[in-house]
Amino acid sequence: MRRTVVRYKTKPEMSDRNAELVATVFAELKAAQPEGFRYMSLRLEDDTFIHFVESAADDGSSPLPKLAAFAAFQSGIRERCAEPPLPKGATIVGNYRMLGED
């Protein structure tokens, strides 16, 4: 299981647009229903976005790059950001009913 957390902060005037683009990714995921994949996104009060991605694929690959909505989201991400995306591997230390149990 590969888990990644991505954190970035958008420019205030771009935050709503970023949230709309993220929502279209979730809509496409809901339609595609890829197996072995979990994804969650949070928007904090200060326009920081946090994405949590979990993939069960042996190679840690994600279906995200194959989605048209994700390509649209990534297009212009640097221009929308005050702080660029910073992906980091993550290990779950504790989980109470937030994430599915394996």
Side-chain angles (χ1 to χ4, degrees):
M1 188 73 56
R2 182 176 186 181
R3 296 178 179 104
T4 305
V5 174
V6 180
R7 180 196 163 282
Y8 58 94
K9 186 172 184 175
T10 56
K11 298 173 184 171
E13 68 275 12
M14 301 301 287
S15 296
D16 288 342
R17 176 66 182 142
N18 193 73
E20 290 168 5
L21 290 165
V22 171
T24 62
V25 172
F26 280 94
E28 192 170 345
L29 281 170
K30 186 175 180 179
Q33 298 186 2
E35 291 295 321
F37 182 75
R38 294 182 183 160
Y39 183 34
M40 177 173 67
S41 180
L42 304 169
R43 179 180 177 181
L44 306 183
E45 292 175 338
D46 69 349
D47 295 320
T48 295
F49 285 78
I50 299 170
H51 299 255
F52 181 77
V53 183
E54 183 178 82
S55 175
D58 290 337
D59 63 358
S61 64
S62 163
L64 288 175
K66 299 174 187 159
L67 302 177
F70 188 70
F73 164 75
Q74 285 204 306
S75 177
I77 185 70
R78 299 264 180 215
E79 291 77 23
R80 290 193 307 274
C81 287
E83 296 174 16
L86 180 62
K88 296 281 187 178
T91 302
I92 295 174
V93 176
N95 172 33
Y96 180 74
R97 296 186 183 175
M98 181 58 71
L99 306 171
E101 301 292 332
D102 292 326

